[in-house]
C-alpha cells in the first residue's frame, strides 16, 4: 500500500514538473489531433484484381470534393478563424406608420404638445391655409384649395394619388394622446369638391379618400422624421404654444390658501399642468383625469434618466422597498377645478384637508414657472 502511494506521489511530481507534456503536449498521449489531416497524403484508390469477377464496384466511402482550394495552413496547432462581423443597421425613429385595414396613422413617441407644432408647420410650409385650429382638442383644418395653390412637391404627390386639377381639397389633422404615456397618434382626413363649388362637405369619421389621405400621411411622416434628425428644434420651441394658458396668476382664496388661476379651458389646463409637474423635482405617482387630480410625492425624485442610479449604485446600492418609500412619503394631490372661464389649481393633503400653505405655495410656484 505504501509502495502504491509512493508511486502515485512520484507520478504526481513528475507530471507537475514536466508541465504535463507527456499527457497533453505535442507528443503527448492526449495531443491535439485537429490538424492531422494537413499531413495526410493521397494514395491511389484500391483496385480489384483483374481475375476477380462477380464483386460489387468499390466506391469511395468518403470522396474528396472537387474544386477545393489548397489550404495555406502549415503544420502546427489549428486556429479557428474569427467570424466576420454581420453588417447590421439599426434604424430607430420617434415616428412610425401604423395600419389597421384601410386606416393609417402616425405613432409619435412624443407628447401631443410636441407633435402639434411639427404637424402644423408641415402644412403651412406646403401652402395649406389653416382655417381653424383647436389646440385644446388637438385638431386643425385647412381651407378649400386647388392643387396649384399648394407646393409643387405636395401637388405632384396628390395628383399621383388621384386628385383632379379641377377639384378643391380640404384637410383635417387630429392629434390624440397615445395608448402609452408620452406618445401621440396623428390622423389625417381629407374631403374633396368640384372647383368653384360652395357645398359644405363635412369631414367623415374615417378615411374615405384612401389615396389622398395615404399620400399626405406618408409625406407628413417623412417630414417629421427629417425634423427629428435635425434635433426637433421646431417642436421644442413651439411646444408651449400648444397648451400654455393665456393667463397664469398665483393668488389666495378667501381662506388664505394659495390658488393658481389659469386662463384656459379644462382640457388645455390639464395638459399644461401635467407637463409642468413632469418638469418638477418630485414624482407624479398617479393621475385621475375624471376627478382632475394629480398625485405627487415630494419625498421622491422624478423618474428620469438623470435620477436613476449608475452602474456602481445599482451594484452596491439597494432599491428602496415599498415600506421604506411609504415611511418617508410626502404625498399630496394637485386638483384642477373649473371656475367660470378659468381653471383653479390647488394643492391638498387629501380630499378633506388642504395642504400647508408653504407646501402649496412651493408646488404652485414651480408649476407657474414651468408654464412660463
Amino acid at each position: 500500500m505504501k509502495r502504491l502511494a509512493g508511486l502515485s506521489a512520484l507520478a504526481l511530481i513528475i507530471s507537475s514538473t514536466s508541465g504535463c507534456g507527456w499527457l497533453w503536449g505535442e507528443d503527448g498521449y492526449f495531443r491535439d489531433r485537429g490538424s492531422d489531416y494537413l499531413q495526410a497524403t493521397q494514395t491511389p484508390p484500391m483496385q480489384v484484381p483483374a481475375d476477380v469477377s462477380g464483386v460489387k464496384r468499390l466506391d469511395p466511402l468518403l470522396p474528396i470534393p472537387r474544386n477545393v482550394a489548397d489550404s495555406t495552413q502549415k503544420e502546427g496547432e489549428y486556429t479557428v478563424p474569427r467570424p466576420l462581423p454581420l453588417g447590421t443597421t439599426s434604424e430607430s425613429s420617434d415616428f412610425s406608420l401604423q395600419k389597421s385595414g384601410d386606416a393609417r396613422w402616425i405613432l409619435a413617441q412624443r407628447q401631443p404638445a410636441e407633435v402639434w407644432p411639427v404637424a402644423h408647420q408641415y402644412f403651412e410650409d406646403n401652402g395649406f391655409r389653416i382655417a381653424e385650429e383647436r389646440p385644446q382638442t388637438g385638431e386643425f383644418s385647412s381651407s378649400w384649395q386647388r392643387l396649384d395653390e399648394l407646393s409643387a412637391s405636395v401637388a405632384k404627390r396628390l395628383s399621383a394619388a388621384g386628385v383632379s386639377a379641377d377639384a378643391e381639397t380640404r384637410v383635417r389633422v387630429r392629434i390624440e394622446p397615445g395608448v402609452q404615456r408620452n406618445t401621440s397618434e396623428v390622423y389625417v382626413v381629407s374631403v374633396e369638391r368640384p372647383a368653384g363649388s360652395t357645398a359644405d362637405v363635412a369631414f367623415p369619421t374615417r378615411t374615405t379618400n384612401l389615396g389622398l389621405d395615404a399620400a399626405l400621411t406618408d409625406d407628413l411622416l417623412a417630414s417629421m422624421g427629417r425634423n427629428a434628425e435635425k434635433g426637433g428644434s421646431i417642436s421644442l420651441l413651439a411646444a408651449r404654444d400648444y397648451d400654455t394658458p393665456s393667463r397664469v396668476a398665483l393668488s389666495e382664496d378667501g381662506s388664505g390658501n394659495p390658488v393658481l388661476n389659469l386662463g384656459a379651458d379644462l382640457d388645455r389646463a390639464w395638459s399644461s399642468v401635467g407637463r409642468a409637474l413632469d418638469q418638477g423635482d418630485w414624482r407624479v405617482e398617479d393621475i385621475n383625469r375624471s376627478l382632475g387630480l394629480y398625485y405627487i410625492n415630494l419625498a421622491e425624485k422624478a423618474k428620469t434618466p438623470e435620477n436613476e442610479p449608475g452602474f456602481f449604485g445599482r451594484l452596491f446600492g439597494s432599491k428602496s422597498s415599498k415600506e421604506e418609500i411609504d415611511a418617508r412619503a410626502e404625498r399630496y394631490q394637485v386638483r384642477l377645478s373649473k371656475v367660470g372661464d378659468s381653471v383653479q389649481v390647488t394643492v391638498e393633503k387629501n380630499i378633506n384637508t388642504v395642504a400647508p400653505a408653504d407646501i402649496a405655495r412651493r408646488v404652485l410656484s414651480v408649476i407657474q414657472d414651468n408654464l412660463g
Side-chain angles (χ1 to χ4, degrees):
M1 187 67 180
K2 290 183 179 180
R3 180 181 294 274
L4 179 61
L7 292 175
S8 300
L10 180 61
L12 180 61
I13 294 173
I14 294 174
S15 63
S16 61
T17 55
S18 61
C20 299
W22 63 281
L23 286 176
W24 312 105
E26 186 65 26
D27 299 325
Y29 184 79
F30 298 105
R31 66 180 181 83
D32 182 14
R33 292 178 168 81
S35 57
D36 282 2
Y37 72 96
L38 297 174
Q39 302 175 359
T41 58
Q42 187 173 0
T43 59
M46 182 180 294
Q47 301 293 333
V48 178
D51 57 347
V52 177
S53 61
V55 296
K56 292 183 178 180
R57 178 183 175 183
L58 296 179
D59 293 326
L61 297 177
L62 299 174
I64 300 176
R66 297 180 179 273
N67 301 325
V68 177
D70 294 337
S71 174
T72 58
Q73 179 72 26
K74 303 302 181 182
E75 294 185 7
E77 185 177 356
Y78 177 73
T79 302
V80 179
R82 182 182 296 274
L84 296 176
L86 295 176
T88 59
T89 57
S90 177
E91 297 183 358
S92 60
S93 175
D94 290 342
F95 306 95
S96 59
L97 182 64
Q98 305 294 312
K99 299 179 182 179
S100 178
D102 294 335
R104 299 162 64 95
W105 68 94
I106 298 173
L107 175 62
Q109 303 299 323
R110 298 188 180 185
Q111 298 178 2
E114 297 182 13
V115 177
W116 168 274
V118 181
H120 200 282
Q121 188 70 40
Y122 163 79
F123 284 94
E124 286 187 332
D125 291 345
N126 286 284
F128 289 89
R129 294 192 300 269
I130 306 301
E132 184 181 7
E133 57 183 30
R134 294 187 295 275
Q136 63 273 17
T137 59
E139 291 182 349
F140 65 86
S141 57
S142 66
S143 58
W144 291 103
Q145 292 176 265
R146 300 188 309 274
L147 291 184
D148 56 6
E149 300 179 70
L150 306 178
S151 66
S153 59
V154 170
K156 183 177 180 180
R157 289 187 179 89
L158 299 188
S159 178
V163 179
S164 173
D166 297 331
E168 293 180 340
T169 305
R170 190 183 181 197
V171 178
R172 184 186 68 186
V173 179
R174 188 174 76 256
I175 303 173
E176 299 179 354
V179 177
Q180 297 180 347
R181 191 176 183 184
N182 295 330
T183 63
S184 307
E185 296 178 355
V186 185
Y187 298 87
V188 179
V189 178
S190 63
V191 289
E192 292 182 81
R193 72 180 185 184
S197 173
T198 58
D200 186 13
V201 183
F203 287 106
T205 56
R206 60 176 57 190
T207 297
T208 55
N209 294 334
L210 301 181
L212 173 56
D213 294 349
L216 284 174
T217 302
D218 293 343
D219 202 43
L220 175 60
L221 174 63
S223 176
M224 288 179 167
R226 290 191 298 268
N227 180 73
E229 292 176 357
K230 296 177 182 178
S233 57
I234 296 178
S235 65
L236 294 178
L237 292 175
R240 292 187 176 185
D241 295 337
Y242 174 79
D243 55 10
T244 300
S246 59
R247 178 178 54 84
V248 181
L250 182 60
S251 60
E252 295 181 354
D253 61 11
S255 302
N257 299 313
V259 176
L260 187 64
N261 295 285
L262 307 180
D265 58 82
L266 190 57
D267 291 331
R268 196 168 184 176
W270 174 263
S271 174
S272 61
V273 170
R275 175 170 54 83
L277 287 172
D278 287 338
Q279 298 174 13
D281 193 22
W282 48 60
R283 181 172 300 177
V284 179
E285 294 185 330
D286 199 2
I287 61 175
N288 190 323
R289 178 65 180 86
S290 59
L291 297 179
L293 290 175
Y294 285 96
Y295 299 91
I296 62 175
N297 187 349
L298 302 183
E300 301 296 328
K301 297 289 186 180
K303 289 185 177 181
T304 60
E306 294 79 7
N307 294 329
E308 292 295 329
F311 172 76
F312 291 103
R314 294 192 301 269
L315 184 62
F316 299 106
S318 59
K319 187 177 181 180
S320 299
S321 63
K322 185 178 183 301
E323 291 74 15
E324 293 174 338
I325 295 177
D326 291 339
R328 63 171 181 260
E330 298 179 32
R331 292 190 171 95
Y332 296 90
Q333 54 191 36
V334 179
R335 181 182 296 274
L336 280 70
S337 305
K338 180 71 173 177
V339 179
D341 295 333
S342 62
V343 175
Q344 286 188 350
V345 184
T346 56
V347 183
E348 305 170 348
K349 183 63 179 176
N350 52 54
I351 192 172
N352 298 318
T353 308
V354 297
D358 57 334
I359 297 294
R361 186 171 297 277
R362 176 162 67 94
V363 173
L364 295 178
S365 296
V366 172
I367 295 176
Q368 183 182 26
D369 293 340
N370 291 337
L371 289 178

